[in-house]
Amino acid sequence: MKPDILRCDDIDPDPDQPRRGMDAEELKSLALSVREHGLLQWVIVWKNGDRFMLVDGHRRFAAVKAIGRDTIEALVLDERPEEQRLSLVQLAANCHRQDLKPMDKARAFRQLQQSQGWSQAELARAMHVSKATVTQVLSYLNLPPELQQQLDSGSLAGSTAYAIARAPDDTTKMQLASQALSGSLHRDEATQRVSRRTASVPRVRVTIRMPDGDITIAAANKPGIAASCLCSGTCRANAAAAERQGLDVTTFERILTDRHRARRLIHRPAHREPASGQSLPVPHHETQKGSSP
C-alpha cells in the first residue's frame, strides 16, 4: 500500500461529508504539527473524472493547504467507496501510519482479521506485506502487558519481542525480556531458547475414534472426558461451518493453523477472501509489496 502525490488544487472536498466546520485553534495546531512532523496519515480520495474527491482526511487536507503546501499524499481509490468499504480502507491505511506504535498496529491487524474472517496469509495479501510480517505483528498480542509497553516505548525491539512472544508461558517471557533489556540476550539467542523450551514440553496424544474418521488431541496433560468432548465438538462445529462456506480441507487446515498461531480462535466469521480492488481497496497503481517492520 503506497500513496500517490497529488496537487491540492486537483482535490475537491466531499460536499456530503458530515463535518461542516472546523475549530480554528485545532486547525492551527494541526497545521503546526504537519509543518514540523509531516503528514503522518494519508488522506483518502477517489478518482472523479480528471479530478479527485476527498472522502477521508478533511482536517489534514485543510492543514496542508493552511501551511501553503501544493501537494499531499493520498490513497487513491478508483471509485467512491461504500461506507463499510471506506471504514475498512481507513483501518488499513491507519496500519501504515508512520507514527503507529507496534501494539496499535497489532490490534488493527487483529481487527481486520476478525472483521473479514481472513487467515494470516489473506491478511498479508490484503495489506501488501509478507506473511512473516503479519505473524510477527500479531505475536505481540501474546506478550504480557508490561512487555507490550516496553515494545511501544522502543526499549524492546520488534524482532526480539517476536522471539519472546513464542515462549510457552508469561514467566518465561518475562525472564527472557529481562535478559534482553539488560543486553545479555539477543534475538537469535532468545529464538534458540524458546525453540528448546517448546520442543521439551511433553505432549500427550488422545485419539477419539469417530464413524467418519479419527480426532487426535495433543495436550501438555492428558485431557479428561469433558475436555476431550469439548475439543472434538468445537472441531466438528468449525468443520461444519467451513463446509457450509464451501472451503476445502486444505484451506480449512491452513485457517485453523493460522488461528492457533495467533493464539485466539475466531468464531464463525464471514470468510471473504480479499480480491484486488474489492474487500480491501488499494491504490490503482499499486504493484509493490510492503516491507517488514
Side-chain angles (χ1 to χ4, degrees):
M1 184 174 289
K2 185 177 180 181
D4 285 302
I5 306 297
L6 303 181
R7 294 177 63 252
C8 292
D9 289 344
D10 292 337
I11 300 176
D12 301 313
D14 185 355
D16 297 327
Q17 66 106 4
R19 187 187 297 275
R20 295 304 178 188
M22 299 185 190
D23 183 86
E25 288 300 318
E26 288 185 3
L27 181 59
K28 180 180 178 180
S29 176
L30 180 59
L32 291 174
S33 175
V34 171
R35 185 192 300 276
E36 181 176 357
H37 305 292
L39 191 65
L40 299 178
Q41 185 176 2
W42 318 319
V43 300
I44 300 176
V45 303
W46 62 280
K47 192 166 179 57
N48 185 24
D50 58 352
R51 297 186 62 77
F52 300 92
M53 182 71 71
L54 186 65
V55 292
D56 181 69
H58 289 76
R59 291 178 67 250
R60 280 165 278 151
F61 179 63
V64 167
K65 294 185 66 176
I67 61 176
R69 292 191 179 175
D70 297 327
T71 61
I72 189 171
E73 290 180 309
L75 186 65
V76 180
L77 309 180
D78 290 329
E79 59 184 9
R80 184 186 185 92
E82 298 176 355
E83 182 176 352
Q84 182 178 3
R85 188 182 179 204
L86 176 60
S87 297
L88 183 60
V89 176
Q90 291 169 332
L91 181 57
N94 188 56
C95 291
H96 290 272
R97 285 181 56 173
Q98 298 175 22
D99 65 336
L100 194 65
K101 292 184 180 298
M103 289 310 306
D104 288 335
K105 177 174 284 191
R107 296 183 189 101
F109 272 24
R110 172 53 51 82
Q111 185 177 346
L112 277 171
Q113 188 181 34
Q114 289 184 327
S115 66
Q116 299 303 302
W118 288 339
S119 67
Q120 290 189 17
E122 291 164 343
L123 177 60
R125 186 160 57 251
M127 294 300 298
H128 292 256
V129 298
S130 68
K131 185 174 179 294
T133 294
V134 170
T135 300
Q136 175 172 324
V137 171
L138 288 177
S139 76
Y140 300 157
L141 298 171
N142 297 327
L143 294 169
E146 300 93 324
L147 299 188
Q148 292 181 356
Q149 293 175 7
Q150 296 283 0
L151 177 63
D152 273 349
S153 70
S155 301
L156 189 64
S159 56
T160 303
Y162 170 52
I164 293 173
R166 296 169 55 223
D169 56 75
D170 284 355
T171 300
T172 303
K173 293 172 186 176
M174 294 299 294
Q175 291 174 347
L176 292 172
S178 177
Q179 296 175 36
L181 292 171
S182 68
S184 61
L185 181 71
H186 300 290
R187 180 198 62 186
D188 293 343
E189 295 170 329
T191 299
Q192 292 174 3
R193 291 194 189 183
V194 170
S195 297
R196 286 198 298 268
R197 285 177 178 268
T198 303
S200 64
V201 175
R203 307 290 286 178
V204 179
R205 295 181 180 273
V206 175
T207 300
I208 302 175
R209 307 293 180 182
M210 307 295 292
D212 51 353
D214 299 338
I215 296 177
T216 299
I217 302 172
N221 300 303
K222 186 174 182 178
I225 294 177
S228 299
C229 290
L230 178 61
C231 183
S232 60
T234 300
C235 180
R236 290 174 69 89
N238 278 286
E243 187 174 38
R244 288 195 299 270
Q245 294 168 16
L247 304 182
D248 57 30
V249 174
T250 301
T251 302
F252 178 55
E253 180 183 14
R254 174 168 53 80
I255 291 173
L256 290 184
T257 299
D258 284 343
R259 290 175 181 174
H260 171 72
R261 288 173 179 168
R263 300 283 184 89
R264 185 182 297 178
L265 181 64
I266 303 171
H267 296 282
R268 296 186 182 181
H271 181 87
R272 297 191 296 276
E273 182 170 339
S276 176
Q278 295 182 358
S279 296
L280 184 55
V282 297
H284 63 281
H285 72 289
E286 180 62 60
T287 58
Q288 298 179 345
K289 298 288 184 182
S291 58
S292 299

